[in-house]
Amino acid sequence: MSGVGAEPDPRLQRPLPLPDPDTAPFWDAAAAGRLSLPVCEDCGRAALPPRRRCAGCGGFRLAWRDIEGRGTVESFAVARMNLVRGYEAPYLVAWVRLDAHPEVRLNCNLVDCAIEQAQIGLPVELCFEPRAEGLAVPQFRPAGAAAP
Amino acid sequence: MTAVKGIAIVGIGSTDIVRRSPRSLGAVAFEAALAAIEDAGLSLDQIDGYVGSPGAPNPSAIHADGLDEVSHQYMLEALGIDGATWAADVSGMPTGMVVAAAQALAAGACRYVLGVRAHYNPPDRKYSESGVARAGGRDQFALPWGHGPGGTRFALWLQRYMHQTGATRDDLFRIVALARRHARGNPLAYWRDAPELTLDEYRAARWVTEPMCLFDSDLPVTGAGAFIMTTAERARDLRQRPAHVISYANATRPRRVFESVGVQPADVQVAQLYDGFSPIVWSTLEQLGFCGPGEAHAFATLERMGPGGSLPVNTFGGSLGEGRLHGMGHLREAALQAMGRAGPRQVPDARLSLVQVGVLERYWTVLLSSEPVD
């Protein structure tokens, strides 16, 4: 995977999701660089974790749809201890609320973001972080930040 | 129906609470069970009901029955109880155990219920460290981003609460200081002999998940608690004065615990509120209606909630002061207060004794009383 002498990417050591029949579409989309969520065909409400019944209108018709990846930081915290494999403290954990679906709050990290830059209300945009086995996880970085 | 009639807690048992133990959790739970049976003045042969809550909550748990968890099957077999007519394990809350036992007793499914909750701090590895390489189920939407270990969601909740209300960490200090002050009156508490926590010490503590520091998390320990429940009628023939279970409610309708018996939060003399992480207490005070939304940080003063205050909270030191028994310490203290057996910590005329265990959106609250409800 890595060239001779290259440092192994520590992100490839991070915990992997264990996709199941209910969640595989989310992870398949993430691996392809898309954010996909089950959306209610009746009222338009999205859900994560995936649901069989809409929490808004009670409808049963949900279908996977790609979601536009802009959001707003609802809260953040700075992990200062090494408690999870592949994560080197300090790092930012955050809740991001999707602009297109404010009913959905995602657990994520703020990436390409200095700790001092993190704040509630910060506009962020979707990006993807590679994981082992060809998987990827959706992440968020400050809107307009250059890709690394 | 969340009002309860004719059900009581009639015995309490506890082990020592230690940071780590060479014993298995099975051995620790066994000791607590026998202590509760003895306290109630019963014999093992009279126990015909059992309720447990085995789940080990630590990210490093191996979930081995008898080692770091104890199931109802394990305990019944270990104790040699083969005539049980009702036994169940319920999800991780001692208050939920009380609710289940009350329902079983009210239905006549059994006569004397033994409840045991035991908690294990593994001696050979870090309590909060996750070695998990793959997260399934609901965890797949948290752990892959490092959410979970270190109480991240409580730190995230706290950051937003402070942002919205103007609360500060110096306000939060009072929750921790309260616990440490009360712990000094509890011979079981890990911090029983420690001096009171100062604001300077709190400010200097290392971060775990900023804005939460080390002292905002309870301390992983090994220990167990147990209780005996039966009907109020049978309780009359037993050794101890009973703590009557008069109502309960869950997190979706938390104030039902008061409404169903026609009381107000202000009518409560003493409350034990789950404090596995200090910010949870603020959330609970508001959800139960002890104060309004966004007011808990100003409401929760040492004067009000400390010894001699108008609403003493976590009079045994809470998990922050006693150690992490995952709410079993809270239940023990609530029962002892309602029984009038809390010794130097006893709140005078503690007629209504409240206990809440669980977090943010998932918990059970139980109201105990020194008097039965007619």
Side-chain angles (χ1 to χ4, degrees):
Chain A
M1 276 202 312
S2 54
V4 175
E7 288 291 320
D9 185 343
R11 297 178 300 178
L12 301 180
Q13 296 300 313
R14 292 178 176 177
L16 294 175
L18 185 60
D20 59 51
D22 291 338
T23 66
F26 176 89
W27 296 113
D28 288 346
R34 295 179 288 109
L35 176 63
S36 187
L37 298 176
V39 176
C40 177
E41 303 264 77
D42 295 316
C43 76
R45 190 184 169 99
L48 193 77
R51 298 175 59 92
R52 287 189 179 77
R53 188 175 180 215
C54 177
C57 71
F60 291 86
R61 300 192 311 133
L62 287 91
W64 289 91
R65 298 277 181 259
D66 287 352
I67 306 291
E68 199 269 325
R70 293 195 167 271
T72 305
V73 173
E74 179 161 309
S75 192
F76 69 95
V78 189
R80 296 278 186 185
M81 284 177 68
N82 292 323
L83 296 174
V84 182
R85 51 186 283 152
Y87 276 95
E88 187 83 20
Y91 56 93
L92 287 161
V93 294
W95 285 333
V96 163
R97 214 163 263 285
L98 294 171
D99 291 349
H101 284 279
E103 70 276 17
V104 176
R105 187 182 78 188
L106 298 174
N107 292 325
C108 63
N109 303 121
L110 295 180
V111 300
D112 304 325
C113 180
I115 284 169
E116 311 75 55
Q117 195 187 350
Q119 57 175 306
I120 291 171
L122 182 74
V124 289
E125 63 189 22
L126 180 67
C127 55
F128 287 87
E129 179 179 294
R131 294 293 167 92
E133 300 178 16
L135 290 162
V137 301
Q139 292 283 29
F140 288 87
R141 63 186 177 209
Chain B
M1 279 279 287
T2 49
V4 181
K5 286 185 180 168
I7 305 294
I9 299 174
V10 294
I12 290 291
S14 287
T15 64
D16 287 345
I17 297 167
V18 297
R19 192 84 167 90
R20 291 182 180 82
S21 170
R23 297 199 293 167
S24 71
L25 196 64
V28 174
F30 188 86
E31 180 189 328
L34 294 185
I37 295 167
E38 162 77 21
D39 187 60
L42 292 168
S43 69
L44 253 173
D45 296 341
Q46 290 172 280
I47 303 301
D48 59 358
Y50 180 92
V51 64
S53 185
N58 48 313
S60 59
I62 56 172
H63 307 289
D65 202 5
L67 175 61
D68 68 351
E69 294 184 346
V70 285
S71 69
H72 70 272
Q73 295 98 331
Y74 176 92
M75 288 301 293
L76 290 174
E77 193 178 316
L79 291 162
I81 298 173
D82 48 17
T85 53
W86 180 80
D89 289 327
V90 302
S91 67
M93 295 163 221
T95 41
M97 292 162 57
V98 170
V99 172
Q103 291 168 341
L105 288 161
C110 52
R111 294 161 58 88
Y112 299 100
V113 177
L114 165 67
V116 180
R117 176 63 163 138
H119 185 273
Y120 190 68
N121 184 24
D124 54 350
R125 58 196 184 279
K126 267 193 198 164
Y127 181 87
S128 294
E129 190 163 284
S130 171
V132 171
R134 279 182 192 276
R138 297 223 139 197
D139 274 358
Q140 73 189 281
F141 297 108
L143 193 64
W145 295 270
H147 285 240
T152 53
R153 68 192 177 112
F154 306 106
L156 289 161
W157 183 91
L158 173 64
Q159 184 90 276
R160 185 155 181 89
Y161 184 90
M162 294 196 300
H163 178 79
Q164 290 179 319
T165 64
T168 66
R169 276 187 37 82
D170 285 4
D171 295 326
L172 191 61
F173 159 74
R174 300 189 296 203
I175 297 292
V176 185
L178 173 78
R180 296 281 284 268
R181 179 176 295 180
H182 276 147
R184 290 158 56 84
N186 173 6
L188 292 173
Y190 179 83
W191 293 104
R192 61 186 176 268
D193 298 322
E196 293 203 14
L197 184 71
T198 68
L199 181 58
D200 284 344
E201 283 174 290
Y202 180 75
R203 286 174 172 168
R206 67 180 165 85
W207 296 115
V208 176
T209 309
E210 185 183 347
M212 289 197 313
C213 73
L214 186 65
F215 295 139
D216 292 310
S217 314
D218 60 2
L219 192 78
V221 293
T222 292
F227 61 81
I228 305 294
M229 285 173 60
T230 190
T231 60
E233 196 180 326
R234 289 187 202 102
R236 292 196 197 106
D237 300 328
L238 296 179
R239 178 182 292 165
Q240 305 294 353
R241 199 179 141 185
H244 296 274
V245 178
I246 65 168
S247 71
Y248 58 81
N250 69 12
T252 62
R253 301 287 304 280
R255 294 181 202 186
R256 289 276 302 165
V257 76
F258 302 120
E259 293 160 3
S260 63
V261 284
V263 303
Q264 302 291 323
D267 296 331
V268 167
Q269 278 83 36
V270 56
Q272 315 304 325
L273 306 178
Y274 184 71
D275 59 343
F277 294 94
S278 58
I280 299 168
V281 178
W282 281 352
S283 167
T284 305
L285 285 166
E286 295 179 7
Q287 289 188 35
L288 288 173
F290 284 105
C291 59
E295 294 176 359
H297 62 99
F299 178 84
T301 61
L302 282 160
E303 293 68 31
R304 178 178 273 120
M305 297 190 176
S310 58
L311 178 68
V313 168
N314 292 347
T315 44
F316 68 112
S319 293
L320 292 168
E322 182 183 80
R324 181 183 178 80
L325 289 193
H326 228 238
M328 199 62 198
H330 296 76
L331 177 62
R332 180 214 313 122
E333 180 72 1
L336 290 176
Q337 290 283 351
M339 291 168 157
R341 294 172 57 195
R345 307 184 308 279
Q346 182 65 44
V347 172
D349 306 316
R351 193 174 66 81
L352 294 177
S353 173
L354 185 90
V355 53
Q356 171 270 344
V357 180
V359 299
L360 303 183
E361 69 293 331
R362 199 171 70 85
Y363 57 83
W364 283 101
T365 305
V366 170
L367 191 56
L368 302 176
S369 177
S370 57
E371 306 298 331
V373 175
D374 296 324

